[in-house]
């Protein structure tokens, strides 16, 4: 079949919730993807911040194949070895206490919300609590996660949302503080806002939220589904601020392509959920958690976070040159390998032009060109990206 025939068939049979770019991907290798016509793309999107290790990593592939030959799924009615190994690695990496594995990011948020609500239910002896979330946030598409997503456009057709959600301004501590009541059970925020336009949190803001949560017995939930797993130069972005959340949500790069997410809880809430409160048929299944376990091993072995810290200053320098050289690029924002360029021309035009020229980049918000490459990129890959981007911005 030709690429066009595949695309026609896709539109015939898949629910049209995406206006997809007009390429049909066949395979990946390292930091490159190839379409069905054999055209090569330098991938600075990584399946939306997922494929941290790069494509076709032999050790990762072999570990998954070995697990497939043992057992793929068992349900959570029984213990399974990969889940136990992965749980220890996730808990140790976050500095928290216990983990619950999910199948996606949005489910990790659902679980985190339920855990915070359950904690407050025990604390107060009743339900009906409030959550403070941020404007321009993104936490997922299921109804609980959608309710804390500060984007009216995503919510509107699906109301009413769950009750008791209030929205504050990101990086404005007073706006958060003014929303706290004795019913507040959680404050949820991305440590670095992704979909909303690549906004890093100020140190004062994150530390201030930590303090507000401590003073008022509120659960601090950091959503690191996109910015976690080494992308900002620390395993988790909250480490930049010297704080720990009460719950962190993780997904995207956690399994590097196998669908898996997690919410990880500290001392305060890790025993709040009890048998019967929460569950999942697939979550933490042996295939998914073998992926998680292997990802943590390979992060160490291949010095992934070290690579981010080594190459990111070069990436930032080269992107700053673009801001200087192009009138339609007004700013750069981001940390590590999570970078955004603010454009005054339509982002979609540049994304399409880049694809034509063999580079995959994506958008964030309405005016930001987003780069979330595999964490294995080299300085040479940065040079290659910059060359194509310069051709695509005009
Ligand atoms: C992608 C994302 C989610 C949702 O994850 P899914 O796996 O798509 O459900 C939630 N929060 C943030 C910050 C994300 O970037």
């Amino acid at each position: 079949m030709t690429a066009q025939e595949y695309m026609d068939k896709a539109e015939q049979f898949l629910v049209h919730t995406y206006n997809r770019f007009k390429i049909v991907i066949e395979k990946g290798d390292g930091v490159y993807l190839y379409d069905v016509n054999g055209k090569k793309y330098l991938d600075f999107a990584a399946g939306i911040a997922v494929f941290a290790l790069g494509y076709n990593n032999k050790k990762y592939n072999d570990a998954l194949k070995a697990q497939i030959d043992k057992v793929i799924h068992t349900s959570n009615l029984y213990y399974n070895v990969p889940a136990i190994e992965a749980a220890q690695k996730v808990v140790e990496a976050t500095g928290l206490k216990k983990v619950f594995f999910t199948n996606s990011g949005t489910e990790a948020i659902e679980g985190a919300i339920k855990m915070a609500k359950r904690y407050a239910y025990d604390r107060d002896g009743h339900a009906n609590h409030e959550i403070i979330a941020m404007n321009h946030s993104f936490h997922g598409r299921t109804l609980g996660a959608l309710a804390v997503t500060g984007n009216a456009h995503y919510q509107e057709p699906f109301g009413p949302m769950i009750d008791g959600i209030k929205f504050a301004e990101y990086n404005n501590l007073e706006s958060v503080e003014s929303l706290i009541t004795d019913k507040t059970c959680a404050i949820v925020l991305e440590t670095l806002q992704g979909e909303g336009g690549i906004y890093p949190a100020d140190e004062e803001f994150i530390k201030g939220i930590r303090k507000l949560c401590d003073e008022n017995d509120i659960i601090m939930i950091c959503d690191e589904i996109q910015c976690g797993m080494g992308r900002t130069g620390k395993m988790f972005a909250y480490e930049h601020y010297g704080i720990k959340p009460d719950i962190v949500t993780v997904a995207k790069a956690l399994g590097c392509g196998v669908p898996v997410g997690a919410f990880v809880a500290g001392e305060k809430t890790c025993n709040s959920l009890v048998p019967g409160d929460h569950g999942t048929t697939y979550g933490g299944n042996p295939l998914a958690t073998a992926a998680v376990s292997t990802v943590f091993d390979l992060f160490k072995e291949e010095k992934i976070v070290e690579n981010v810290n080594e190459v990111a200053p070069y990436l930032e320098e080269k992107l700053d040159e673009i801001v200087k050289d192009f009138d339609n690029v007004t700013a750069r924002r981001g940390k590590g390998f999570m970078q955004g360029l603010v454009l005054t021309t339509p982002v979609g035009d540049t994304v399409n032009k880049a694809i034509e020229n063999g580079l995959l980049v994506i958008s964030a918000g309405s005016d930001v060109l987003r780069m979330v490459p595999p964490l294995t990129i080299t300085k040479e890959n940065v040079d290659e990206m910059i060359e194509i981007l310069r051709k695509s911005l005009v």
Side-chain angles (χ1 to χ4, degrees), residues 58-69:
K58 184 164 185 337
K59 284 183 180 162
Y60 174 84
N61 288 1
D62 286 348
L64 289 192
K65 287 173 193 165
Q67 187 58 47
I68 286 170
D69 288 338

Side-chain angles (χ1 to χ4, degrees), residues 252-384:
K252 290 196 165 85
L254 179 64
C256 280
V258 172
V260 59
F263 58 101
V264 196
E267 194 70 56
K268 197 163 183 171
T269 55
C270 70
N271 295 314
S272 300
L273 292 169
V274 297
D277 280 344
H278 200 52
T280 165
T281 301
Y282 284 138
N285 92 8
L287 182 64
T289 47
V292 173
S293 198
T294 306
V295 165
F296 277 95
D297 291 349
L298 290 175
F299 261 61
K300 276 208 184 110
E301 221 177 290
E302 303 187 0
K303 300 196 166 35
I304 296 293
V305 183
E306 289 87 337
N307 185 62
V308 176
N309 287 308
E310 200 184 308
V311 178
Y314 187 70
L315 173 63
E316 292 184 346
E317 183 192 318
K318 292 286 149 187
L319 290 174
D320 287 341
E321 284 173 17
I322 286 197
V323 176
K324 253 192 259 142
D325 292 350
F326 287 82
D327 288 344
N328 60 333
V329 186
T330 54
R332 175 188 66 79
R333 287 196 295 262
K335 257 198 174 94
F337 284 176
M338 187 165 173
Q339 295 286 342
L341 291 176
V342 184
L343 305 192
T344 54
T345 47
V347 179
D349 291 355
T350 296
V351 171
N352 277 312
K353 194 93 188 153
I355 290 175
E356 239 177 83
N357 292 329
L359 169 69
L360 302 185
V361 284
I362 50 183
S363 60
S366 57
D367 61 347
V368 175
L369 186 78
R370 172 170 39 162
M371 286 170 214
V372 282
L375 304 186
T376 54
I377 58 162
T378 61
K379 288 182 185 173
E380 289 70 35
N381 296 142
V382 172
D383 287 338
E384 192 183 347

Side-chain angles (χ1 to χ4, degrees), residues 29-43:
D29 194 35
V31 298
Y32 297 97
L33 280 172
Y34 297 83
D35 70 14
V36 290
N37 298 323
K39 181 171 168 185
K40 181 178 173 181
Y41 301 88
L42 176 62
D43 185 10

Side-chain angles (χ1 to χ4, degrees), residues 10 48 61 92 140 169 189 202 212 236 291 327 330 358 370 377:
I48 317 184
N61 288 1
E92 287 174 0
E169 279 303 315
L189 74 160
D202 299 338
L212 287 174
F236 295 97
D327 288 344
T330 54
R370 172 170 39 162
I377 58 162

